[in-house]
Every structure is written in structure tokens, then in C-alpha cells.
């Protein structure tokens, strides 16, 4: 579409095709392209790329375009791709950018979001990078499928923009090479037997997911094959093949999880232990953690140490203080704070995570941690203790709007808010400011190198 045609019409229309340069990328992956004075959001690009895109959404004066083709590389793309399915896979979009440039972009994204949300100084302290850039993930869910309709069986990541096509990720660089070897072994086993993959629309087929968890500091590995109950195979040859792999780490457990749920999530109707145990160990800042299949644990162990060191610094002195750790997961933060606190109470909705937290606290010799299984929204109504400090580490969607007033009602002096989605944090922050808090310190930690995600931390103190 030429500029003259655009000027004649005066307005963009759905289906029209344009070209332009991505000026910047806002969180999480919203590229901003200006065409004839109008800004268009084009996702999945890198700043500086010249792109061709089709207008696919128009709402309230804002246009969105679907990326069709990258016409020219960005000056920021100074590296070759590190895996064979880039850029079709949307997993790590920024891998061709130098890591320093990724950090600068993410820092700008978060800082702008938070400053726009509160309209005042956020006492920004920069961004902290991950200690390792590749092979950092301690957990990965791979999907079974086919790369195209009725194609051969594949196992890996969904093609960018597709909920059906799956690309075999046998050289994924976000994970340790041990995980890639396991993926290839599992895929070949089921290919040889002609096993079918689960089709979401028809609700037919057998293979759903491969979930691998690997301790970065211990090398211990859990392998989970998730299927429906629609077929049956002898898994003993697969177990033998997996145990014979020349891995750097060690497989400590192999599980077969049966999941007949209609939703496309990893969950268990029945779990069969095929080998070893259903947990592994990881260490973090001198503490040992037992992690099971569905326990939440920060996906980048080494960057989590950076994150939690900052959290500990932001909280400061907890001597003789009552600490609430809300959305506590397996109780990592609670246990890091417990040695110098009066008591730490963790609240977490996932019961398996709470069981793990209790076991981990006992294993680490901590007697002043208490973990409660339940929704923060409801549990706060029943707690008689009054906190001196609150730590918040909610899921991606942020704090439940009805839970926020209950948290603010405690009127504690300091609150530390950890967020894995800066837009949720930006949405919640004004409520804290209205309740009399101010942002004392803030920063980001990049736990998710080469991807669009980034972690943020804010210390809120009463004025």
C-alpha cells in the first residue's frame, strides 16, 4: 500500500498491507511502527527491523498489524540464531540480540510502564541480568503434535501464532542439553510405535506433553510423559533407553501421567511412577528444596538467587518481626527470611506446593515457618496474627482486586511486591499509593533471557 493511497483514504482498514520500521518494543512484545503519522502495534518484532504487516485489528483509534515478513534485519541483531526453529518458534524471540541490548530494552519497558502508572519518581535501580544466558531453565513443558496437518509426530514448542502446529525443539537453548537428549529419546520411542498425538478439537489421540524438570545446581532430573488413557504402551523399553542416555546430570524419576482433561494444561488424573522417585532437589542461597511435579519453583534457579538476594535487601531487618509471605509457592522466600524473623506465615493456594514448603522448612531446620493452603482472599479473613512486613509474589495476573484492600488494611510499614508481569504490577501500584505508600526502591531481574518476560521488584513504604 503506497503512502499516496493511504493519504487519499485518510484511514487504515483491516486487510490492508503496509511497511515500516519498528521504532521500539513495549512490554511484552508490542512493536510500535509509525505509518503516515499513525502508530500501529505489530507484535513479535525487534526494534529497528523493517517489516511488512497486515492490519488485522482496529479499535478506538488504535490499529494492530500482523507481522507478515521481516524485510530488513535490525542493527541490534548482531548474532546468528542459536537453534534451528528460530524464528518460527515464539519461545525466545530476542536470541539474535546481544544480551546487553536485551537488558536495556527490558529495563526501558518496565521503567516506562511503572512511571506511567504512578506518575512520580519510582526510585529506579536498574536491571540485573541472569548469571547464565542459555541453558537456564529448570523446567520445560514440551507439546506433542505435528508441524503441519497430518504430518509426522513432533515434540517441542508451538509455532508462533499457532495453537496447533508444533515444532520439534531438539536443540532448544533455553534448557540444558540433557533435556534435549531426553526429548529426542521420547520422540523416537513413540514414533517407532506409531503413537498418535492428542487432537484438542476432536478430543482424540494419546500423546499430550513431555514435562522435564532439572535441578541446575544438583543435576537431578524428573521426566514426565503426559498422555490420555485412549491407548496403552509398555513403557519399560523407554525407561531403559532414558537411563542409558549419556547425560551430564542424572535421572532420579520417570513418571507417566494420565490426563483426560479437555483443557490443554498439564494435570494428573492418575500418576504412575515408572522409575525412581517423584521429586528432585535444588539448592538456593544455601537452602535445600525438594521439588515435585506440580510444585511452583522459580524457573531460573541462578537468577532466582539474584532475585531473592534483592528481596532480602529490600525487606531489611526482620528481627522479631511477623512476616506474611503471600502467594508463597514452595516457601522459598519464607525460608530465606525465617532465620532472622520472629515468624513467617506463607499462604499458597496449591496444596502440593504447601506440602513441599512444610517439608522443605523441616529439612532446613526452620521451626518458625507456618504454611497455609488456601486462597489469599479467604485466608486473610481467618488469620488472627498481624504482620509487620508483607511479601507479595502473585501469579501473572497480579493480586485479586478483592484481596488488595485486605492487604492494605494491615497498614504495615513495608511491603515488597515481586511481579513476573510488569503490566499487572503497574495496574496494582496506584492502589498502594492511594493507601499512603510510596515507592522507595524498584528494579528488574531478567530470569527469562531471550524471551519477552522479565521479573520486577518494588519496595513500598508507608509515608
Amino acid at each position: 500500500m503506497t503512502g499516496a493511497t493511504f493519504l487519499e483514504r485518510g484511514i487504515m482498514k483491516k486487510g490492508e498491507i503496509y511497511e515500516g520500521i519498528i521504532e521500539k518494543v513495549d512490554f511484552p512484545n508490542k512493536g510500535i511502527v509509525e505509518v503516515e503519522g499513525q502508530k500501529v502495534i505489530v507484535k513479535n518484532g525487534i526494534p529497528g527491523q523493517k517489516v511488512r504487516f497486515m492490519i488485522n485489528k482496529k479499535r478506538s483509534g488504535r490499529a494492530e498489524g500482523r507481522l507478515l515478513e521481516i524485510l530488513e534485519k535490525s542493527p541490534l541483531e548482531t548474532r546468528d540464531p542459536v537453534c534451528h526453529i528460530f524464528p518460527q518458534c515464539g519461545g525466545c524471540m530476542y536470541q539474535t540480540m546481544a544480551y546487553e541490548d536485551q537488558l536495556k530494552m527490558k529495563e526501558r519497558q518496565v521503567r516506562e510502564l511503572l512511571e506511567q502508572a504512578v506518575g512520580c519518581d519510582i526510585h529506579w535501580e536498574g536491571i540485573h541480568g541472569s548469571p547464565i544466558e542459555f541453558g537456564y531453565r529448570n523446567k520445560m513443558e514440551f507439546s506433542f503434535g505435528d508441524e503441519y496437518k497430518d504430518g509426522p509426530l513432533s515434540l517441542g514448542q508451538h509455532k508462533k501464532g499457532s495453537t496447533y502446529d508444533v515444532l520439534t525443539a531438539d536443540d532448544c537453548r533455553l534448557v540444558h542439553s540433557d533435556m534435549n537428549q531426553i526429548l529426542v529419546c521420547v520422540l523416537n520411542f513413540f514414533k517407532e510405535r506409531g503413537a498418535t498425538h492428542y487432537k484438542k478439537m476432536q478430543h482424540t489421540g494419546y500423546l499430550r506433553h513431555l514435562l522435564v524438570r532439572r535441578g541446575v545446581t544438583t543435576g537431578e532430573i524428573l521426566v514426565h510423559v503426559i498422555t490420555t488413557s485412549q491407548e496403552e504402551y509398555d513403557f519399560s523399553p523407554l525407561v531403559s533407553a532414558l537411563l542409558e542416555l549419556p547425560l551430564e546430570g542424572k535421572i532420579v524419576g520417570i513418571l507417566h501421567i494420565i490426563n483426560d482433561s479437555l483443557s490443554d494444561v498439564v494435570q494428573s488424573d492418575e500418576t504412575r511412577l515408572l522409575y525412581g522417585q517423584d521429586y528432585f532437589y535444588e539448592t538456593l542461597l544455601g537452602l535445600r528444596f525438594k521439588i515435585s511435579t506440580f510444585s511452583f519453583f522459580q524457573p531460573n534457579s541462578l537468577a532466582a538467587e539474584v532475585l531473592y538476594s534483592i528481596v532480602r535487601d529490600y525487606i531489611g531487618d526482620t528481627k522479631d518481626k511477623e512476616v506474611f509471605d503471600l502467594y508463597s509457592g514452595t516457601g522459598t522466600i519464607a525460608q530465606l527470611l525465617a532465620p532472622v524473623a520472629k515468624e513467617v506465615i506463607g499462604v499458597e493456594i496449591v496444596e502440593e506446593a504447601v506440602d513441599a514448603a512444610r517439608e522443605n522448612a523441616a529439612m532446613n531446620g526452620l521451626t518458625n515457618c507456618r504454611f497455609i493452603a488456601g486462597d489469599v482472599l479467604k485466608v486473610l479473613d481467618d488469620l488472627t496474627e498481624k504482620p509487620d512486613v508483607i511479601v507479595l509474589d502473585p501469579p501473572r495476573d497480579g493480586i485479586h482486586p478483592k484481596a488488595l484492600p485486605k492487604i492494605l488494611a494491615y497498614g504495615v510499614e513495608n511491603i515488597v511486591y515481586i511481579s513476573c508481569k510488569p503490566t499487572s504490577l503497574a495496574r496494582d501500584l496506584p492502589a498502594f499509593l492511594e493507601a499512603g505508600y510510596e515507592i522507595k526502591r524498584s528494579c528488574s531481574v531478567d530470569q527469562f533471557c531471550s524471551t519477552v518476560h522479565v521479573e520486577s521488584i518494588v519496595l513500598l513504604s508507608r509515608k
Side-chain angles (χ1 to χ4, degrees), residues 190-407:
F190 287 111
K191 266 186 173 179
E192 289 165 5
R193 285 154 181 78
T196 61
H197 68 86
Y198 182 70
K199 296 183 177 177
K200 287 177 275 194
M201 295 300 289
Q202 294 92 333
H203 308 306
T204 58
Y206 181 64
L207 298 166
R208 299 193 73 153
H209 298 94
L210 170 68
L211 168 61
V212 187
R213 303 193 74 159
R214 182 187 188 279
V216 173
T217 61
T218 62
E220 295 184 352
I221 302 166
L222 277 189
V223 181
H224 313 76
V225 179
I226 296 99
T227 74
T228 66
S229 60
Q230 295 181 30
E231 298 172 22
E232 195 69 50
Y233 291 89
D234 176 12
F235 275 72
S236 52
L238 176 60
V239 172
S240 298
L242 285 169
L243 294 177
E244 288 169 6
L245 290 173
L247 304 177
E248 196 176 297
K250 181 186 178 185
I251 293 175
V252 295
I254 302 172
L255 299 92
H256 176 202
I257 295 175
I258 296 167
N259 173 21
D260 284 319
S261 163
L262 298 183
S263 58
D264 189 31
V265 293
V266 175
Q267 61 185 54
S268 173
D269 296 331
E270 180 190 347
T271 299
R272 299 172 182 173
L273 183 62
L274 305 177
Y275 167 81
Q277 61 203 37
D278 61 356
Y279 58 88
F280 71 100
Y281 289 103
E282 182 72 301
T283 59
L284 216 63
L285 293 173
L287 294 175
R288 199 161 186 243
F289 294 92
K290 179 181 177 182
I291 304 164
S292 55
T293 302
F294 297 109
S295 296
F296 173 77
F297 198 79
Q298 293 288 358
N300 181 340
S301 301
L302 300 182
E305 290 193 320
V306 176
L307 176 79
Y308 292 142
S309 296
I310 294 167
V311 169
R312 215 156 46 175
D313 179 43
Y314 276 20
I315 289 172
D317 182 22
T318 54
K319 184 173 169 53
D320 300 325
K321 289 184 178 177
E322 185 83 31
V323 181
F324 279 11
D325 178 12
L326 306 182
Y327 313 96
S328 56
T330 46
T332 318
I333 295 173
Q335 291 172 70
L336 291 171
L337 299 177
V340 289
K342 175 186 171 187
E343 182 186 41
V344 184
I345 297 176
V347 181
E348 169 59 47
I349 199 166
V350 180
E351 287 193 22
E352 186 182 3
V354 172
D355 292 339
R358 290 168 180 157
E359 194 172 341
N360 287 330
M363 181 171 57
N364 289 311
L366 300 169
T367 56
N368 61 335
C369 285
R370 187 151 58 91
F371 296 99
I372 300 168
D375 189 340
V376 167
L377 179 63
K378 295 172 183 171
V379 171
L380 291 182
D381 290 335
D382 300 325
L383 282 173
T384 54
E385 293 84 358
K386 293 289 183 273
D388 300 302
V389 179
I390 294 176
V391 180
L392 302 166
D393 191 3
R396 292 186 63 75
D397 289 338
I399 302 166
H400 192 289
K402 291 183 179 176
L404 198 45
K406 296 180 182 181
I407 293 165

Side-chain angles (χ1 to χ4, degrees), residues 31-44:
I32 309 298
V33 181
E34 191 167 312
V35 181
E36 301 293 347
Q38 184 167 352
K39 289 185 177 178
V40 184
I41 294 172
V42 181
K43 294 182 179 179
N44 301 322

Side-chain angles (χ1 to χ4, degrees), residues 46-47 49 73-82 86 94-102 133:
I46 288 174
Q49 285 177 336
K73 285 172 63 173
S74 163
L76 294 175
E77 292 184 88
T78 56
R79 307 194 297 191
D80 293 328
V82 294
F86 178 86
Y94 303 135
Q95 59 170 270
T96 53
M97 294 173 67
Y99 189 45
E100 283 302 312
D101 290 325
Q102 292 180 36
E133 187 184 348

Side-chain angles (χ1 to χ4, degrees), residues 136 140 236 365:
Y136 59 83
M140 188 66 105
S236 52

